[in-house]
Amino acid sequence: MKKIETFVLGMVQVNTYLLWNDNHVLIIDPGSKSPRLQESIDSNNGIVDGIVLTHAHFDHIAGVDALVKKFNCPLYMNDLDVPLLTDPKLNFSIGTDVIVKTKPHILSPGKHTIGKFDFEFIDAPGHSEGCSMILWDHNLFCGDVLFQGSIGRTDLVTSSNTKMMQSLQKIKQMDPSLHVYPGHGPDTTLKNELLYNPYLQ
C-alpha cells in the first residue's frame, strides 16, 4: 500500500515527506531529525530505502546525518547542490550552521529506482542551481520551486530568476491533474496553480 505522510519541521516550517510503499520508506527533505518522524517509521516497522533532497538549503537538510545514522540509509541528490551541504553560507544557514557530512549519491535527470520506489528526477533550477523535483506516480514533490499561489526565492546564492522562469515553463507543460507537494505550505494541484498562481499565468 502506498501513502504519503507530511511532517512540518524546523524553524522555517519545511515540509518533510515520508513516501510509503508497504513498509518501505523514502524520506524527502528531512528538515530535522524529528522524533515524531522517527516514531512513525519505527512504529510501522519501516525500512528506509533512502533520503532524497530536492535541494540543499539548510532547512531541507538539517536532519540528514542523524537519520542516515539511525536508519543506515543512503542520501541522493543533484550534483550541482553538493557544495551546499558543507558550506553554511551557500546553504543559507540561519542561527546554527548546518553542515552535512554524509556523502551523497548523485541522481541525474530521468527515471530511477531506489529500493521499492520508481520515480522520475526532474531538473528545476532557479531557487538553487541544483533544484530538482521528484515525480512519484501522480505526485510531484517540487521543493521550493512552486508553492500554492507562489514560487521560491531567486535572490539567494546560486539562484537565478531566468532559470526559475524556465523551470516554471517546464511545469506548465506537465499533467494538470498532478498532486503538488511543495517544500513549504499546503499541498495543491497543478490544475489549481495553473488557474490561480500568478507566476504560472
Side-chain angles (χ1 to χ4, degrees):
M1 179 179 174
K2 294 181 178 180
K3 67 176 182 177
I4 299 166
E5 275 190 282
T6 305
F7 294 83
V8 182
L9 304 177
M11 63 183 296
V12 292
Q13 303 284 278
V14 70
N15 290 330
T16 295
Y17 298 104
L18 297 186
L19 280 52
W20 289 88
N21 189 354
D22 296 327
N23 69 322
H24 285 254
V25 183
L26 201 63
I27 303 173
I28 296 179
D29 291 353
S32 79
K33 60 184 179 181
S34 179
R36 290 188 298 115
L37 180 147
Q38 294 186 36
E39 171 59 24
S40 177
I41 295 172
D42 287 339
S43 64
N44 290 285
N45 298 311
I47 299 169
V48 180
D49 289 341
I51 297 171
V52 182
L53 302 180
T54 62
H55 65 295
H57 284 147
F58 82 102
D59 49 326
H60 294 253
I61 65 174
V64 166
D65 283 344
L67 295 176
V68 165
K69 182 177 180 180
K70 175 173 174 57
F71 296 111
N72 190 30
C73 62
L75 171 67
Y76 299 89
M77 64 184 297
N78 186 314
D79 64 336
L80 295 174
D81 263 18
V82 170
L84 280 63
L85 294 178
T86 54
D87 189 330
K89 290 183 179 179
L90 289 180
N91 69 39
F92 199 56
S93 288
I94 297 173
T96 302
D97 286 351
V98 175
I99 295 174
V100 171
K101 297 179 180 179
T102 301
K103 301 300 181 186
H105 298 265
I106 302 305
L107 288 178
S108 56
K111 294 182 179 180
H112 296 271
T113 299
I114 297 174
K116 291 194 69 173
F117 297 87
D118 299 317
F119 62 92
E120 185 176 356
F121 199 62
I122 303 168
D123 271 350
H127 181 62
S128 76
E129 183 66 22
C131 266
S132 304
M133 302 184 294
I134 299 150
L135 180 61
W136 182 53
D137 293 342
H138 229 59
N139 307 295
L140 183 67
F141 301 89
C142 57
D144 290 2
V145 180
L146 182 68
F147 304 131
Q148 184 188 66
S150 189
I151 61 171
R153 296 174 58 171
T154 58
D155 61 336
L156 304 175
V157 181
T158 85
S159 293
S160 166
N161 188 65
T162 298
K163 290 183 179 179
M164 175 64 87
M165 294 303 107
Q166 293 170 348
S167 294
L168 295 176
Q169 286 299 318
K170 183 184 298 185
I171 290 173
K172 288 173 70 172
Q173 305 306 313
M174 299 177 80
D175 184 345
S177 67
L178 288 175
H179 202 113
V180 176
Y181 292 89
H184 303 270
D187 57 292
T188 181
T189 64
L190 185 51
K191 180 180 180 180
N192 282 345
E193 297 314 301
L194 291 168
L195 287 172
Y196 302 116
N197 190 321
Y199 295 95
L200 292 182
Q201 302 306 309

